Amino acid sequence: MERGDEMSPRCRRRGAPVKPACSHQDEPSPAGNHQQGNAENLIKSNGRVEVDDVISKKLQLKRKAEFLKHDLMRQFGCQVNDVMDSLIEESANLEPPPVSPVFSPQLSDKEKSKLGQFRPPHSQGKQFISRRSLLDELFEVNHIRTIYHMFIALLILFILSTLVVDFIDEGRLVLDFDLLVYAFGQFPLVICTWICMFLSVLVVPYALFHLWSKNQAGSDGPPRLYSLIFGSVFLLYQALGLGFLPTYVVVINSFPPASCFIIILEQIRLMMKAHSFVRENVPKVLSWAENKACPGPVVPQVSQYLYFLFAPTLIYRDKYPRNPVIRWSYVATKFLQILGCLFYAYYVFVRLCIPQFRSVSMQLFDLRTMVLCVFNSILPGVLILFLGFFAFLHCWLNAFAEMLQFADRMFYKDWWNSTSFANYYRTWNVVVHDWLYYYVYRDFLW
């Protein structure tokens, strides 16, 4: 039994599989497993760190590229603007050097004689080129168009506020627009007055100029007496036909504010256009009378004068740059914007002005009341200024320019960037500024 017992472990040892001596080296020990796990974790963590580092570098490069792009585009835009301005200035005729200011050194006798003989040629003046309005270009930028959408949202709030207040006070929706009906009262009489003014401007200045130019062509020398007579008749027409009579109609009939404003604006506009037509064409006839290079003086056609009366400019030219087509959708959009500005002004008066001044009218007017009225009127006044600028100088003039295919749309400049009142008054209404510069400032200087 003992032998059998001794043999049984041997048999068990023989039956068991024999492992090689080096088998303990292939099995990972706990220490080896720990080191291998640390290495794998280190690789993973290093990979994550490297990926995060690459992403951060990419973001930095992207920001740097965007900054460089913005900087380069800004520099490129400034350089392009400078080049275009220089080309326009070089293409235009050089204007004569300005006279020295009041506090300049005393002029010599020779300089005074030169200054006395100075006469600006009629060919020098405003140069019309094909260009778009500034707001049309700015509204193509989404960030700038957001401001336009904000004004539309404010108009919707004004409308909702007015409707809710009227519904609570009256128990119904009030949609009579009595303020607009009052402001544009006696409108048929306004139309009749405008038609009379327009027909007189179409006939009288052109007929006087045509007769005067024929008189210049039929005489050997310049007849100063006839020039004095025709000039006096023209000035008398300007004073009585366009100055006194429309004002008399407005005062006698007690036109409401908006109707009165229409007549006064058209009165001033037609006077300025008639002066520009005569001022631009008289030097041509005088130059022909001195040289007589052609058989007769060049007199503008009636169609050219008629086009000028409707064109959105106060500087007369025989020809203007024209666009090839008329975008009627653009015209309809501008007239709809004018209508929107009209209702916008109505709601500004109804919600911000009338309640304030209704309460003031019941109080004793003193210094405190005046100060409160002034400061309470600042916000609606600024809104009305913006609406008037946008409705007239942008929408109205662009609508007529599009219908007449008038290509030079620079009716205003970036007056919102002005840093002085002098720059503001030169840029907010370029149409009137050009007339004042060429026919008042330069002519009085001459």
Side-chain angles (χ1 to χ4, degrees), residues 137-163:
E137 295 179 349
L138 291 177
F139 282 157
E140 293 180 354
V141 181
N142 292 330
H143 299 292
I144 302 298
R145 194 169 180 81
T146 303
I147 302 175
Y148 175 75
H149 294 156
M150 290 169 60
F151 272 89
I152 294 178
L154 186 60
L155 173 61
I156 296 173
L157 289 178
F158 272 129
I159 294 173
L160 292 177
S161 174
T162 304
L163 292 178

PDB file of all heavy atoms in Angstrom, residues 137-163:
ATOM      1  N   GLU A 137     -25.793 100.563 -51.010  1.00  0.00           N
ATOM      2  CA  GLU A 137     -24.602  99.722 -50.862  1.00  0.00           C
ATOM      3  C   GLU A 137     -24.484  99.175 -49.444  1.00  0.00           C
ATOM      4  O   GLU A 137     -24.127  98.016 -49.245  1.00  0.00           O
ATOM      5  CB  GLU A 137     -23.359 100.526 -51.227  1.00  0.00           C
ATOM      6  CG  GLU A 137     -23.301 100.963 -52.687  1.00  0.00           C
ATOM      7  CD  GLU A 137     -22.069 101.775 -52.994  1.00  0.00           C
ATOM      8  OE1 GLU A 137     -21.362 102.172 -52.035  1.00  0.00           O
ATOM      9  OE2 GLU A 137     -21.797 102.013 -54.192  1.00  0.00           O
ATOM     10  N   LEU A 138     -24.806 100.005 -48.448  1.00  0.00           N
ATOM     11  CA  LEU A 138     -24.670  99.550 -47.065  1.00  0.00           C
ATOM     12  C   LEU A 138     -25.702  98.492 -46.707  1.00  0.00           C
ATOM     13  O   LEU A 138     -25.415  97.587 -45.915  1.00  0.00           O
ATOM     14  CB  LEU A 138     -24.794 100.743 -46.113  1.00  0.00           C
ATOM     15  CG  LEU A 138     -23.642 101.757 -46.139  1.00  0.00           C
ATOM     16  CD1 LEU A 138     -23.935 102.909 -45.196  1.00  0.00           C
ATOM     17  CD2 LEU A 138     -22.324 101.096 -45.752  1.00  0.00           C
ATOM     18  N   PHE A 139     -26.908  98.588 -47.271  1.00  0.00           N
ATOM     19  CA  PHE A 139     -27.949  97.615 -46.941  1.00  0.00           C
ATOM     20  C   PHE A 139     -27.665  96.236 -47.506  1.00  0.00           C
ATOM     21  O   PHE A 139     -28.373  95.279 -47.169  1.00  0.00           O
ATOM     22  CB  PHE A 139     -29.308  98.100 -47.444  1.00  0.00           C
ATOM     23  CG  PHE A 139     -29.921  99.159 -46.560  1.00  0.00           C
ATOM     24  CD1 PHE A 139     -30.857 100.036 -47.070  1.00  0.00           C
ATOM     25  CD2 PHE A 139     -29.551  99.279 -45.231  1.00  0.00           C
ATOM     26  CE1 PHE A 139     -31.421 101.016 -46.270  1.00  0.00           C
ATOM     27  CE2 PHE A 139     -30.096 100.253 -44.427  1.00  0.00           C
ATOM     28  CZ  PHE A 139     -31.036 101.117 -44.946  1.00  0.00           C
ATOM     29  N   GLU A 140     -26.675  96.110 -48.363  1.00  0.00           N
ATOM     30  CA  GLU A 140     -26.270  94.791 -48.812  1.00  0.00           C
ATOM     31  C   GLU A 140     -25.461  94.044 -47.754  1.00  0.00           C
ATOM     32  O   GLU A 140     -25.278  92.833 -47.847  1.00  0.00           O
ATOM     33  CB  GLU A 140     -25.453  94.905 -50.103  1.00  0.00           C
ATOM     34  CG  GLU A 140     -26.275  95.395 -51.298  1.00  0.00           C
ATOM     35  CD  GLU A 140     -25.442  95.489 -52.553  1.00  0.00           C
ATOM     36  OE1 GLU A 140     -24.218  95.273 -52.448  1.00  0.00           O
ATOM     37  OE2 GLU A 140     -26.007  95.794 -53.626  1.00  0.00           O
ATOM     38  N   VAL A 141     -24.973  94.762 -46.751  1.00  0.00           N
ATOM     39  CA  VAL A 141     -24.267  94.148 -45.618  1.00  0.00           C
ATOM     40  C   VAL A 141     -25.310  93.744 -44.580  1.00  0.00           C
ATOM     41  O   VAL A 141     -26.140  94.560 -44.164  1.00  0.00           O
ATOM     42  CB  VAL A 141     -23.251  95.128 -45.008  1.00  0.00           C
ATOM     43  CG1 VAL A 141     -22.497  94.475 -43.858  1.00  0.00           C
ATOM     44  CG2 VAL A 141     -22.279  95.612 -46.080  1.00  0.00           C
ATOM     45  N   ASN A 142     -25.287  92.504 -44.153  1.00  0.00           N
ATOM     46  CA  ASN A 142     -26.318  91.989 -43.253  1.00  0.00           C
ATOM     47  C   ASN A 142     -26.340  92.739 -41.928  1.00  0.00           C
ATOM     48  O   ASN A 142     -27.410  92.984 -41.363  1.00  0.00           O
ATOM     49  CB  ASN A 142     -26.103  90.491 -43.001  1.00  0.00           C
ATOM     50  CG  ASN A 142     -26.356  89.658 -44.245  1.00  0.00           C
ATOM     51  OD1 ASN A 142     -27.167  90.027 -45.093  1.00  0.00           O
ATOM     52  ND2 ASN A 142     -25.655  88.544 -44.381  1.00  0.00           N
ATOM     53  N   HIS A 143     -25.168  93.089 -41.412  1.00  0.00           N
ATOM     54  CA  HIS A 143     -25.114  93.766 -40.115  1.00  0.00           C
ATOM     55  C   HIS A 143     -25.728  95.164 -40.200  1.00  0.00           C
ATOM     56  O   HIS A 143     -26.352  95.629 -39.238  1.00  0.00           O
ATOM     57  CB  HIS A 143     -23.673  93.860 -39.634  1.00  0.00           C
ATOM     58  CG  HIS A 143     -23.021  92.522 -39.430  1.00  0.00           C
ATOM     59  ND1 HIS A 143     -23.413  91.651 -38.438  1.00  0.00           N
ATOM     60  CD2 HIS A 143     -22.019  91.891 -40.102  1.00  0.00           C
ATOM     61  CE1 HIS A 143     -22.676  90.547 -38.499  1.00  0.00           C
ATOM     62  NE2 HIS A 143     -21.824  90.676 -39.502  1.00  0.00           N
ATOM     63  N   ILE A 144     -25.556  95.844 -41.324  1.00  0.00           N
ATOM     64  CA  ILE A 144     -26.160  97.166 -41.482  1.00  0.00           C
ATOM     65  C   ILE A 144     -27.663  97.038 -41.714  1.00  0.00           C
ATOM     66  O   ILE A 144     -28.461  97.841 -41.203  1.00  0.00           O
ATOM     67  CB  ILE A 144     -25.495  97.916 -42.653  1.00  0.00           C
ATOM     68  CG1 ILE A 144     -23.983  98.047 -42.408  1.00  0.00           C
ATOM     69  CG2 ILE A 144     -26.112  99.293 -42.823  1.00  0.00           C
ATOM     70  CD1 ILE A 144     -23.613  98.836 -41.188  1.00  0.00           C
ATOM     71  N   ARG A 145     -28.066  96.024 -42.438  1.00  0.00           N
ATOM     72  CA  ARG A 145     -29.493  95.833 -42.690  1.00  0.00           C
ATOM     73  C   ARG A 145     -30.239  95.505 -41.408  1.00  0.00           C
ATOM     74  O   ARG A 145     -31.461  95.706 -41.328  1.00  0.00           O
ATOM     75  CB  ARG A 145     -29.681  94.709 -43.720  1.00  0.00           C
ATOM     76  CG  ARG A 145     -31.082  94.659 -44.292  1.00  0.00           C
ATOM     77  CD  ARG A 145     -31.164  93.737 -45.491  1.00  0.00           C
ATOM     78  NE  ARG A 145     -32.513  93.696 -46.031  1.00  0.00           N
ATOM     79  CZ  ARG A 145     -33.020  94.615 -46.838  1.00  0.00           C
ATOM     80  NH1 ARG A 145     -32.270  95.639 -47.195  1.00  0.00           N
ATOM     81  NH2 ARG A 145     -34.249  94.518 -47.282  1.00  0.00           N
ATOM     82  N   THR A 146     -29.536  95.020 -40.402  1.00  0.00           N
ATOM     83  CA  THR A 146     -30.173  94.760 -39.113  1.00  0.00           C
ATOM     84  C   THR A 146     -30.767  96.042 -38.535  1.00  0.00           C
ATOM     85  O   THR A 146     -31.834  96.013 -37.902  1.00  0.00           O
ATOM     86  CB  THR A 146     -29.146  94.150 -38.148  1.00  0.00           C
ATOM     87  OG1 THR A 146     -28.604  92.954 -38.723  1.00  0.00           O
ATOM     88  CG2 THR A 146     -29.782  93.821 -36.816  1.00  0.00           C
ATOM     89  N   ILE A 147     -30.085  97.173 -38.719  1.00  0.00           N
ATOM     90  CA  ILE A 147     -30.606  98.451 -38.218  1.00  0.00           C
ATOM     91  C   ILE A 147     -31.934  98.778 -38.893  1.00  0.00           C
ATOM     92  O   ILE A 147     -32.880  99.253 -38.258  1.00  0.00           O
ATOM     93  CB  ILE A 147     -29.565  99.563 -38.445  1.00  0.00           C
ATOM     94  CG1 ILE A 147     -28.248  99.206 -37.748  1.00  0.00           C
ATOM     95  CG2 ILE A 147     -30.085 100.904 -37.965  1.00  0.00           C
ATOM     96  CD1 ILE A 147     -27.135 100.185 -38.012  1.00  0.00           C
ATOM     97  N   TYR A 148     -32.008  98.525 -40.190  1.00  0.00           N
ATOM     98  CA  TYR A 148     -33.268  98.734 -40.928  1.00  0.00           C
ATOM     99  C   TYR A 148     -34.372  97.856 -40.363  1.00  0.00           C
ATOM    100  O   TYR A 148     -35.517  98.304 -40.172  1.00  0.00           O
ATOM    101  CB  TYR A 148     -33.009  98.435 -42.402  1.00  0.00           C
ATOM    102  CG  TYR A 148     -34.230  98.479 -43.285  1.00  0.00           C
ATOM    103  CD1 TYR A 148     -34.803  99.690 -43.652  1.00  0.00           C
ATOM    104  CD2 TYR A 148     -34.792  97.302 -43.770  1.00  0.00           C
ATOM    105  CE1 TYR A 148     -35.922  99.723 -44.473  1.00  0.00           C
ATOM    106  CE2 TYR A 148     -35.906  97.330 -44.591  1.00  0.00           C
ATOM    107  CZ  TYR A 148     -36.462  98.535 -44.936  1.00  0.00           C
ATOM    108  OH  TYR A 148     -37.566  98.571 -45.742  1.00  0.00           O
ATOM    109  N   HIS A 149     -34.060  96.619 -40.050  1.00  0.00           N
ATOM    110  CA  HIS A 149     -35.054  95.719 -39.471  1.00  0.00           C
ATOM    111  C   HIS A 149     -35.453  96.162 -38.065  1.00  0.00           C
ATOM    112  O   HIS A 149     -36.620  95.981 -37.670  1.00  0.00           O
ATOM    113  CB  HIS A 149     -34.499  94.286 -39.430  1.00  0.00           C
ATOM    114  CG  HIS A 149     -34.272  93.705 -40.786  1.00  0.00           C
ATOM    115  ND1 HIS A 149     -33.377  92.685 -41.028  1.00  0.00           N
ATOM    116  CD2 HIS A 149     -34.810  94.016 -41.991  1.00  0.00           C
ATOM    117  CE1 HIS A 149     -33.389  92.379 -42.317  1.00  0.00           C
ATOM    118  NE2 HIS A 149     -34.250  93.182 -42.915  1.00  0.00           N
ATOM    119  N   MET A 150     -34.523  96.739 -37.317  1.00  0.00           N
ATOM    120  CA  MET A 150     -34.863  97.244 -35.986  1.00  0.00           C
ATOM    121  C   MET A 150     -35.871  98.394 -36.083  1.00  0.00           C
ATOM    122  O   MET A 150     -36.806  98.485 -35.269  1.00  0.00           O
ATOM    123  CB  MET A 150     -33.598  97.698 -35.266  1.00  0.00           C
ATOM    124  CG  MET A 150     -32.665  96.561 -34.865  1.00  0.00           C
ATOM    125  SD  MET A 150     -31.050  97.137 -34.313  1.00  0.00           S
ATOM    126  CE  MET A 150     -31.494  98.145 -32.917  1.00  0.00           C
ATOM    127  N   PHE A 151     -35.709  99.266 -37.058  1.00  0.00           N
ATOM    128  CA  PHE A 151     -36.676 100.348 -37.231  1.00  0.00           C
ATOM    129  C   PHE A 151     -38.049  99.800 -37.623  1.00  0.00           C
ATOM    130  O   PHE A 151     -39.081 100.331 -37.194  1.00  0.00           O
ATOM    131  CB  PHE A 151     -36.173 101.338 -38.287  1.00  0.00           C
ATOM    132  CG  PHE A 151     -35.292 102.425 -37.728  1.00  0.00           C
ATOM    133  CD1 PHE A 151     -33.926 102.248 -37.634  1.00  0.00           C
ATOM    134  CD2 PHE A 151     -35.836 103.616 -37.297  1.00  0.00           C
ATOM    135  CE1 PHE A 151     -33.114 103.240 -37.117  1.00  0.00           C
ATOM    136  CE2 PHE A 151     -35.046 104.619 -36.777  1.00  0.00           C
ATOM    137  CZ  PHE A 151     -33.676 104.435 -36.681  1.00  0.00           C
ATOM    138  N   ILE A 152     -38.076  98.760 -38.445  1.00  0.00           N
ATOM    139  CA  ILE A 152     -39.354  98.141 -38.806  1.00  0.00           C
ATOM    140  C   ILE A 152     -40.013  97.524 -37.567  1.00  0.00           C
ATOM    141  O   ILE A 152     -41.226  97.657 -37.358  1.00  0.00           O
ATOM    142  CB  ILE A 152     -39.138  97.083 -39.896  1.00  0.00           C
ATOM    143  CG1 ILE A 152     -38.664  97.745 -41.198  1.00  0.00           C
ATOM    144  CG2 ILE A 152     -40.423  96.301 -40.149  1.00  0.00           C
ATOM    145  CD1 ILE A 152     -38.376  96.771 -42.313  1.00  0.00           C
ATOM    146  N   ALA A 153     -39.215  96.871 -36.715  1.00  0.00           N
ATOM    147  CA  ALA A 153     -39.763  96.290 -35.487  1.00  0.00           C
ATOM    148  C   ALA A 153     -40.309  97.383 -34.564  1.00  0.00           C
ATOM    149  O   ALA A 153     -41.368  97.212 -33.937  1.00  0.00           O
ATOM    150  CB  ALA A 153     -38.680  95.480 -34.771  1.00  0.00           C
ATOM    151  N   LEU A 154     -39.615  98.524 -34.503  1.00  0.00           N
ATOM    152  CA  LEU A 154     -40.100  99.634 -33.685  1.00  0.00           C
ATOM    153  C   LEU A 154     -41.408 100.192 -34.234  1.00  0.00           C
ATOM    154  O   LEU A 154     -42.310 100.562 -33.463  1.00  0.00           O
ATOM    155  CB  LEU A 154     -39.034 100.728 -33.633  1.00  0.00           C
ATOM    156  CG  LEU A 154     -39.313 101.911 -32.694  1.00  0.00           C
ATOM    157  CD1 LEU A 154     -39.468 101.432 -31.260  1.00  0.00           C
ATOM    158  CD2 LEU A 154     -38.185 102.934 -32.785  1.00  0.00           C
ATOM    159  N   LEU A 155     -41.550 100.244 -35.552  1.00  0.00           N
ATOM    160  CA  LEU A 155     -42.808 100.687 -36.151  1.00  0.00           C
ATOM    161  C   LEU A 155     -43.945  99.735 -35.785  1.00  0.00           C
ATOM    162  O   LEU A 155     -45.064 100.175 -35.452  1.00  0.00           O
ATOM    163  CB  LEU A 155     -42.653 100.764 -37.674  1.00  0.00           C
ATOM    164  CG  LEU A 155     -43.936 101.044 -38.473  1.00  0.00           C
ATOM    165  CD1 LEU A 155     -44.531 102.389 -38.080  1.00  0.00           C
ATOM    166  CD2 LEU A 155     -43.656 100.998 -39.970  1.00  0.00           C
ATOM    167  N   ILE A 156     -43.686  98.437 -35.811  1.00  0.00           N
ATOM    168  CA  ILE A 156     -44.716  97.459 -35.429  1.00  0.00           C
ATOM    169  C   ILE A 156     -45.120  97.647 -33.969  1.00  0.00           C
ATOM    170  O   ILE A 156     -46.311  97.584 -33.615  1.00  0.00           O
ATOM    171  CB  ILE A 156     -44.208  96.027 -35.694  1.00  0.00           C
ATOM    172  CG1 ILE A 156     -43.987  95.821 -37.199  1.00  0.00           C
ATOM    173  CG2 ILE A 156     -45.186  94.991 -35.153  1.00  0.00           C
ATOM    174  CD1 ILE A 156     -43.330  94.504 -37.544  1.00  0.00           C
ATOM    175  N   LEU A 157     -44.139  97.933 -33.094  1.00  0.00           N
ATOM    176  CA  LEU A 157     -44.462  98.176 -31.682  1.00  0.00           C
ATOM    177  C   LEU A 157     -45.310  99.433 -31.523  1.00  0.00           C
ATOM    178  O   LEU A 157     -46.248  99.465 -30.711  1.00  0.00           O
ATOM    179  CB  LEU A 157     -43.169  98.297 -30.875  1.00  0.00           C
ATOM    180  CG  LEU A 157     -42.371  97.011 -30.673  1.00  0.00           C
ATOM    181  CD1 LEU A 157     -41.086  97.294 -29.909  1.00  0.00           C
ATOM    182  CD2 LEU A 157     -43.205  95.978 -29.919  1.00  0.00           C
ATOM    183  N   PHE A 158     -44.999 100.488 -32.280  1.00  0.00           N
ATOM    184  CA  PHE A 158     -45.806 101.706 -32.230  1.00  0.00           C
ATOM    185  C   PHE A 158     -47.249 101.413 -32.650  1.00  0.00           C
ATOM    186  O   PHE A 158     -48.211 101.889 -32.022  1.00  0.00           O
ATOM    187  CB  PHE A 158     -45.210 102.776 -33.138  1.00  0.00           C
ATOM    188  CG  PHE A 158     -44.170 103.638 -32.464  1.00  0.00           C
ATOM    189  CD1 PHE A 158     -42.935 103.840 -33.047  1.00  0.00           C
ATOM    190  CD2 PHE A 158     -44.442 104.259 -31.247  1.00  0.00           C
ATOM    191  CE1 PHE A 158     -41.977 104.630 -32.430  1.00  0.00           C
ATOM    192  CE2 PHE A 158     -43.496 105.049 -30.637  1.00  0.00           C
ATOM    193  CZ  PHE A 158     -42.263 105.240 -31.214  1.00  0.00           C
ATOM    194  N   ILE A 159     -47.411 100.644 -33.717  1.00  0.00           N
ATOM    195  CA  ILE A 159     -48.749 100.334 -34.211  1.00  0.00           C
ATOM    196  C   ILE A 159     -49.532  99.523 -33.180  1.00  0.00           C
ATOM    197  O   ILE A 159     -50.697  99.833 -32.859  1.00  0.00           O
ATOM    198  CB  ILE A 159     -48.655  99.574 -35.550  1.00  0.00           C
ATOM    199  CG1 ILE A 159     -48.056 100.481 -36.638  1.00  0.00           C
ATOM    200  CG2 ILE A 159     -50.030  99.077 -35.993  1.00  0.00           C
ATOM    201  CD1 ILE A 159     -47.779  99.764 -37.945  1.00  0.00           C
ATOM    202  N   LEU A 160     -48.887  98.485 -32.628  1.00  0.00           N
ATOM    203  CA  LEU A 160     -49.568  97.653 -31.633  1.00  0.00           C
ATOM    204  C   LEU A 160     -49.914  98.457 -30.390  1.00  0.00           C
ATOM    205  O   LEU A 160     -51.018  98.321 -29.831  1.00  0.00           O
ATOM    206  CB  LEU A 160     -48.684  96.455 -31.274  1.00  0.00           C
ATOM    207  CG  LEU A 160     -48.474  95.405 -32.370  1.00  0.00           C
ATOM    208  CD1 LEU A 160     -47.533  94.320 -31.893  1.00  0.00           C
ATOM    209  CD2 LEU A 160     -49.805  94.795 -32.793  1.00  0.00           C
ATOM    210  N   SER A 161     -48.997  99.310 -29.937  1.00  0.00           N
ATOM    211  CA  SER A 161     -49.259 100.131 -28.754  1.00  0.00           C
ATOM    212  C   SER A 161     -50.437 101.062 -28.981  1.00  0.00           C
ATOM    213  O   SER A 161     -51.324 101.196 -28.118  1.00  0.00           O
ATOM    214  CB  SER A 161     -48.006 100.931 -28.395  1.00  0.00           C
ATOM    215  OG  SER A 161     -48.264 101.829 -27.332  1.00  0.00           O
ATOM    216  N   THR A 162     -50.479 101.701 -30.153  1.00  0.00           N
ATOM    217  CA  THR A 162     -51.584 102.614 -30.455  1.00  0.00           C
ATOM    218  C   THR A 162     -52.909 101.879 -30.539  1.00  0.00           C
ATOM    219  O   THR A 162     -53.939 102.346 -30.016  1.00  0.00           O
ATOM    220  CB  THR A 162     -51.301 103.354 -31.776  1.00  0.00           C
ATOM    221  OG1 THR A 162     -50.030 104.020 -31.684  1.00  0.00           O
ATOM    222  CG2 THR A 162     -52.375 104.381 -32.057  1.00  0.00           C
ATOM    223  N   LEU A 163     -52.911 100.717 -31.202  1.00  0.00           N
ATOM    224  CA  LEU A 163     -54.147  99.956 -31.337  1.00  0.00           C
ATOM    225  C   LEU A 163     -54.661  99.480 -29.981  1.00  0.00           C
ATOM    226  O   LEU A 163     -55.868  99.548 -29.702  1.00  0.00           O
ATOM    227  CB  LEU A 163     -53.926  98.765 -32.267  1.00  0.00           C
ATOM    228  CG  LEU A 163     -53.661  99.091 -33.742  1.00  0.00           C
ATOM    229  CD1 LEU A 163     -53.404  97.806 -34.526  1.00  0.00           C
ATOM    230  CD2 LEU A 163     -54.832  99.852 -34.340  1.00  0.00           C
TER     231      LEU A 163
END
